[in-house]
Amino acid sequence: MEKRSTDSQVKGVSTGTTILAAVYDGGVVIGSDSRASIGGDYVSSKTINKLIQVHDRIFACIAGSLADAQAVTKAAKSHLSFHSVQMETPPLVVAAASVLKELCYRNKEELQAGFITAGWDRKNGPQVYVVSLGGMLISQPVTIAGSGSTYIYGYVDAKYKPNMSREQCLQFATNGTDALALAMGRDNVSGGVVHLVVITEEGVEHVVVPGDKLPRFHDE
Amino acid sequence: MLEETGPGCLSEALKTGTTIIGVEYDGGVVLGSDSRVSAGASVVNRVMNKLSPLHDKIYCALSGSAADAQTIAEVVNYQLDVHSMEIGEDPQVRSAATLVRNISYKYKEELSAHLIVAGWDRRDGGQVFATLNGLLTRQPFAVGGSGSSYVYGFVDAEYHRGMSKAQSQQFVVNTLALAMNRDGSSGGVAYVVTIDEHNTEEKVVLGNNLPTFFDQ
């Protein structure tokens, strides 16, 4: 309806995207769509995975320019593995988020990528951090990002409850992945399949929900 | 917000700051809007009623440029009066929507307003029409304005056919509250108009009575 000027100025391949992360009692759920496009006109990949594992229990969801995001996460991964060898303990989620933030903030003129960092660590349990385009870092219990996220702010505000159980959280983000499916239905640069990762103390579980298994809504 | 251009206003491109919604239920329609009018960064009117009557049982919801939207509504109000005198009975909702669409389409380069037209008539009951940019389409529900982007997901998930009047009203109020929370250009109070065969009811939901949701 009105002109949006968010990801449309990214040159090259961009992850016009919908990504989401939510904390529940015992872990985090993160999810994303799988479309990569050039300028909103051409879908260059239908099955790209935007959930990058930067350490055993820490994932980063990428949004913005694909090239920038890949370069940043590659650098972050190597920083983090060196850091965890030095500290002789797995890194804290906030450490991973800070590494990404430093890279985004110090190079803010050249880069155009945003991240949601989510994971589990021994000290603070499950956490979600968002690193925005300019390099802001904040912690939130639930967060959404990417071009498709505009359409689900209302839905997330209405449906998220703090301290949900794992089932409730999966239902919120998934159960046929309501939130992501809704965004993918309205945003033309989000689409494909849904990637979901659940991170707990025990481990990491990756689920892929193909397009035909996504929930349909009233007009479909 | 419906924007007014005035001295000191910094708006380059006019933004459709507002949230408006129309929903059809079995037997009537519910129309809702926020109440904020802004010029740049200041709120010029925090209690504007953006639901404007076109006829006894036909209302429209205004969004976009305040001047453009109000003018369209006034002109169509007049045209509908003439039309209903000519045909000797109450006009159809589709006729009202067509009149709005004709103006929006003909002057689409000059005007910057989107009106959602909703009402009740004897022939087809409750109907909601969207007239964005000069199209005309009947829909079970329609949302518009800058605040609508944030609630597309919510309305897609929550709307279902066969809602009752009370459910439709609650749906409209919930949607407006969520949009007003996220959109800087929407806010104030919620105006709700319910139109059915028997009467037309106007209601205001004040800020402290709006439903609250998860706030980070």
Side-chain angles (χ1 to χ4, degrees):
Chain A
M1 207 174 314
E2 74 282 5
K3 290 208 192 84
R4 262 189 307 111
S5 56
T6 41
D7 294 292
S8 50
Q9 274 128 9
V10 175
K11 286 209 294 270
V13 181
S14 95
T15 54
T17 241
T18 313
I19 48 180
L20 130 116
V23 170
Y24 69 91
D25 190 23
V28 286
V29 170
I30 54 178
S32 80
D33 71 307
S34 70
R35 180 173 292 184
S37 54
I38 301 188
D41 292 326
Y42 171 67
V43 176
S44 54
S45 169
K46 296 185 270 187
T47 52
I48 180 187
N49 187 358
K50 303 177 191 179
L51 308 178
I52 317 282
Q53 187 160 22
V54 295
H55 208 263
D56 293 345
R57 298 270 186 288
I58 309 177
F59 274 70
C61 323
I62 60 181
S65 154
L66 196 44
D68 290 346
Q70 287 185 337
V72 170
T73 47
K74 191 163 169 203
K77 255 194 205 172
S78 85
H79 272 294
L80 273 179
S81 82
F82 182 66
H83 171 74
S84 88
V85 164
Q86 266 193 323
M87 306 294 284
E88 292 177 15
T89 175
L92 298 176
V93 186
V94 69
S98 299
V99 166
L100 288 167
K101 180 262 297 181
E102 273 306 292
L103 289 163
C104 288
Y105 182 67
R106 300 283 165 212
N107 299 297
K108 60 158 68 174
E109 308 304 326
E110 287 91 2
L111 292 175
Q112 212 170 18
F115 303 90
I116 296 179
T117 312
W120 183 94
D121 62 45
R122 185 169 300 279
K123 184 170 172 194
N124 292 314
Q127 301 142 76
V128 167
Y129 293 87
V130 66
V131 177
S132 70
L133 230 52
M136 172 191 79
L137 169 63
I138 56 174
S139 167
Q140 290 185 305
V142 63
T143 190
I144 51 181
S147 58
S149 68
T150 357
Y151 305 105
I152 49 174
Y153 272 109
Y155 180 80
V156 168
D157 283 345
K159 294 295 179 183
Y160 179 77
K161 308 271 177 297
N163 299 324
M164 292 192 281
S165 72
R166 180 199 158 107
E167 282 65 41
Q168 288 170 318
C169 194
L170 280 172
Q171 203 166 44
F172 156 75
T174 76
N175 190 29
T177 57
D178 279 0
L180 289 164
L182 288 164
M184 285 153 68
R186 286 288 182 180
D187 183 27
N188 64 325
V189 287
S190 297
V193 306
V194 169
H195 288 286
L196 285 169
V197 168
V198 182
I199 310 170
T200 58
E201 175 174 8
E202 283 78 49
V204 165
E205 189 192 323
H206 192 146
V207 174
V208 177
V209 183
D212 57 350
K213 301 278 186 298
L214 289 174
R216 291 159 188 273
F217 299 96
H218 64 93
D219 55 4
E220 294 162 50
Chain B
M1 72 189 157
L2 297 188
E3 249 183 54
E4 297 178 344
T5 46
C9 174
L10 299 157
S11 58
E12 347 76 5
L14 286 176
K15 287 182 288 183
T16 50
T18 254
T19 311
I20 51 175
I21 170 171
V23 178
E24 183 192 316
Y25 66 91
D26 186 22
V29 291
V30 182
L31 257 184
S33 82
D34 74 306
S35 68
R36 181 171 289 183
V37 181
S38 39
S42 41
V43 176
V44 166
N45 185 342
R46 57 189 163 93
V47 285
M48 162 138 189
N49 189 344
K50 301 175 190 179
L51 305 178
S52 188
L54 296 178
H55 203 80
D56 298 337
K57 291 211 182 304
I58 309 175
Y59 271 64
C60 66
L62 316 173
S63 77
S65 150
D68 290 349
Q70 282 186 330
T71 307
I72 297 176
E74 274 173 30
V75 168
V76 172
N77 186 334
Y78 163 75
Q79 290 175 338
L80 262 187
D81 271 347
V82 170
H83 172 67
S84 82
M85 272 190 274
E86 284 175 349
I87 60 176
E89 60 180 16
D90 284 340
Q92 290 182 31
V93 186
R94 186 173 281 271
S95 313
T98 304
L99 289 170
V100 171
R101 186 277 308 267
N102 288 346
I103 300 177
S104 302
Y105 182 68
K106 185 166 179 193
Y107 299 103
K108 75 179 348 212
E109 304 305 325
E110 294 95 332
L111 294 176
S112 164
H114 172 210
L115 274 63
I116 294 179
V117 179
W120 184 94
D121 63 42
R122 247 188 355 195
R123 187 175 155 153
D124 280 323
Q127 299 145 73
V128 172
F129 289 88
T131 65
L132 179 65
N133 281 338
L135 65 69
L136 175 66
T137 172
R138 181 179 171 187
Q139 295 176 191
F141 71 89
V143 290
S146 62
S148 67
S149 309
Y150 302 103
V151 290
Y152 270 114
F154 179 77
V155 297
D156 279 343
E158 292 295 295
Y159 175 80
H160 55 89
R161 256 182 265 281
M163 289 200 287
S164 70
K165 173 164 135 175
Q167 284 175 317
S168 303
Q169 287 171 325
Q170 191 58 47
F171 172 69
V172 163
V173 169
N174 285 346
T175 309
L176 288 170
L178 286 164
M180 282 154 66
N181 266 341
R182 283 290 182 179
D183 181 29
S185 316
S186 301
V189 303
Y191 287 99
V192 181
V193 166
T194 313
I195 309 171
D196 61 23
E197 178 177 2
H198 304 290
N199 57 7
T200 304
E201 182 197 329
E202 293 192 15
K203 209 169 55 156
V204 183
V205 183
L206 297 180
N208 57 330
N209 295 328
L210 285 170
T212 51
F213 298 93
F214 177 68
D215 262 331
Q216 317 239 24

